Amino acid sequence: MNSGNDGESKTKPTPESPGVLKIIQSILAGAFGVQSDKRRQEDFASSSPWPYIIAGILFTAGFVVMLILIVKMVLAGS
């Protein structure tokens, strides 16, 4: 009663779109340099790079704004 399609679906995994939490974890791990090889392979196997690109740009912009605010606070206190 096996249709034969079960073996094909197991040998050819279809890339899934990553969830928001998975993207955030990958961006943060990549930023700190602790990304595992398994996670990196999963990221590159996803269907589209755009979620990672957009999240990376937003993270970088937020990081730069945070640094600017910290420097302004430090300079205002001295």
Side-chain angles (χ1 to χ4, degrees):
M1 307 252 169
N2 195 352
S3 64
N5 287 340
D6 294 337
E8 289 179 20
S9 65
K10 290 181 182 176
T11 58
K12 294 181 181 179
T14 58
E16 299 176 7
S17 63
V20 174
L21 183 61
K22 184 176 177 184
I23 292 172
I24 291 171
Q25 288 174 342
S26 291
I27 296 298
L28 291 175
F32 290 112
V34 294
Q35 180 84 322
S36 69
D37 189 50
K38 179 185 174 190
R39 179 61 68 105
R40 183 188 57 80
Q41 289 176 355
E42 289 174 1
D43 293 344
F44 280 99
S46 68
S47 59
S48 174
W50 288 109
Y52 295 99
I53 292 170
I54 293 169
I57 290 171
L58 290 175
F59 173 80
T60 303
F63 184 73
V64 169
V65 168
M66 183 181 68
L67 287 178
I68 291 171
L69 291 175
I70 290 171
V71 169
K72 283 187 177 188
M73 286 173 34
V74 168
L75 291 178
S78 55

